[in-house]
Amino acid sequence: MRKEFLFILKNFVRMAILMFLVSIVAFFLVSVSPIDPLKVNVGQTALGSMSQEQIEKLSQYWGTSISPVRRYLSWAGDFIRGDMGVSLLYRQPVSRVIGVKLSNSLLMLGISWLISGIVGFSLGILAGANRGKRLDKGISAYALITASTPAFWLALVFLMLFGVWLKILPIGLSVPIGTEAAEVTIRDRILHGILPVLTLSITGISSMILHTREKMLEVMESDYVLFAKARGETGTQIVLGHGIRNILLPALTLQFASISEIIGGSVLVEQVFSYPGIGQAAVTAGLGGDVPLLLGIAVISAAIVFTGNFTANILYGIVDPRIRKARNNI
């Protein structure tokens, strides 16, 4: 029990260090950005008509007159105390803005992640178990094509096809335009989330298919599978009894590692569909020089990714008893 606690503590410390490094890199990139928050949000013309005193007040508000090191230390100290600061664009606490945007994205990201994992794993097994056949060639071709297809391009195709030409799905946003929050139904949210979920799922399936197929081929060519065939086991029995058991752990690893890809893809997909999620908020904060909001999104997104990797490490011991035994011997 003590070794398990130390293992979990070690991973938490590692996550904290990585999040700290992510915040430093994000802050550095924002600091060297050529975007001037004053010119972007106030306007060049309005800025030129202001007095020097007014410009200095604006500079203090946006933090451009303070050295980067002091700004970062001030932000980090407040963040550790649970205060993410105030968004300069939304004029609201960063925690509140992220909470609203993340609630819009989490359901979409979660469904896309589950669909891409389950469907990709199933198709990969089918392809690997039918090597060289039409089914294998068709699934492999689909995976290779979608792997090289940009998510934003696929989103545009779906938008034109289902939203503009067929007119069977909304073209954007997460709720109907002009509808009050109290009047929004679950059906409205589902309809507005279909195209973003479909785009992220399709682009996320390819890596799982190709990875699972390769692992399945290794299993089908192994000695114990040849011995199982000699005993008279059918292809279905071999796949269920030997294949899934041996490729589940690598697939699980890849699935949790793909959380970062899903989050990264959502940035472009949310821009195409004008979906008010965490990805669109990150773009808005970056273009507007909203450092508190951008740093908050970067750290929260990193925490989600690192939590996925941490969960995979914990599940290793549940899925594979050999890893649990090795961990106890450390």
Side-chain angles (χ1 to χ4, degrees):
M1 188 67 181
R2 182 173 178 272
K3 292 180 179 179
E4 292 294 335
F5 174 76
L6 292 176
F7 171 77
I8 295 176
L9 181 61
K10 178 181 177 181
N11 278 272
F12 269 122
V13 172
R14 184 181 302 171
M15 285 175 54
I17 294 175
L18 289 174
M19 290 173 61
F20 171 70
L21 295 176
V22 166
S23 67
I24 291 178
V25 172
F27 187 87
F28 172 76
L29 293 176
V30 173
S31 299
V32 299
S33 172
I35 297 176
D36 186 349
L38 295 182
K39 293 181 180 179
V40 171
N41 295 280
V42 179
Q44 182 66 39
T45 304
L47 196 64
S49 62
M50 292 182 179
S51 64
Q52 190 63 33
E53 183 180 352
Q54 291 174 320
I55 294 177
E56 289 179 358
K57 289 183 179 180
L58 284 175
S59 298
Q60 291 177 358
Y61 175 76
W62 289 94
T64 57
S65 61
I66 306 174
S67 66
V69 176
R70 286 181 56 192
R71 273 187 293 163
Y72 176 79
L73 292 177
S74 176
W75 172 84
D78 292 337
F79 189 90
I80 293 174
R81 291 190 292 269
D83 182 9
M84 297 185 185
V86 178
S87 171
L88 304 177
L89 295 175
Y90 292 92
R91 301 297 203 288
Q92 295 180 12
V94 170
S95 58
R96 182 182 302 172
V97 176
I98 293 180
V100 173
K101 301 297 183 180
L102 193 59
S103 63
N104 291 333
S105 294
L106 275 182
L107 183 60
M108 176 188 69
L109 295 175
I111 295 176
S112 303
W113 183 73
L114 287 175
I115 292 176
S116 62
I118 295 173
V119 176
F121 184 70
S122 302
L123 292 179
I125 291 176
L126 290 175
N130 297 274
R131 181 177 185 178
K133 298 181 180 180
R134 290 184 178 180
L135 183 61
D136 176 31
K137 293 179 180 179
I139 294 175
S140 299
Y142 164 79
L144 292 173
I145 292 174
T146 54
S148 57
T149 302
F152 74 90
W153 183 84
L154 191 63
L156 289 172
V157 171
F158 286 154
L159 182 63
M160 292 295 297
L161 178 61
F162 296 104
V164 178
W165 294 341
L166 299 179
K167 300 184 187 307
I168 59 177
L169 290 174
I171 61 174
L173 301 178
S174 61
V175 296
I177 299 177
T179 304
E180 296 183 2
E183 299 177 357
V184 177
T185 63
I186 297 178
R187 180 179 179 275
D188 293 331
R189 294 191 179 276
I190 292 176
L191 289 177
H192 282 77
I194 289 178
L195 290 182
V197 167
L198 183 63
T199 303
L200 290 174
S201 300
I202 289 178
T203 55
I205 285 175
S206 56
S207 59
M208 179 61 74
I209 291 177
L210 297 174
H211 180 270
T212 304
R213 178 183 179 275
E214 290 301 317
K215 293 297 181 182
M216 193 65 192
L217 291 177
E218 294 177 4
V219 171
M220 298 302 290
E221 296 174 355
S222 62
D223 294 336
Y224 55 84
V225 168
L226 293 176
F227 182 70
K229 291 180 179 179
R231 290 203 311 265
E233 293 187 21
T234 63
T236 303
Q237 290 176 331
I238 291 173
V239 171
L240 296 178
H242 302 283
I244 295 179
R245 180 185 303 175
N246 287 278
I247 65 177
L248 180 60
L249 181 60
L252 190 65
T253 307
L254 180 65
Q255 180 65 4
F256 277 98
S258 68
I259 292 178
S260 59
E261 298 179 6
I262 290 288
I263 295 177
S266 69
V267 175
L268 296 176
V269 171
E270 288 181 3
Q271 284 295 108
V272 173
F273 294 109
S274 299
Y275 198 88
I278 197 72
Q280 190 181 59
V283 174
T284 303
L287 295 177
D290 193 341
V291 178
L293 180 57
L294 188 59
L295 289 178
I297 293 175
V299 173
I300 296 300
S301 301
I304 295 174
V305 174
F306 297 151
T307 300
N309 295 333
F310 172 75
T311 304
N313 289 334
I314 299 298
L315 291 177
Y316 283 171
I318 300 176
V319 176
D320 194 336
R322 294 171 300 178
I323 295 180
R324 181 170 63 249
K325 182 178 180 181
R327 185 183 300 166
N328 292 333
N329 293 331
I330 296 178

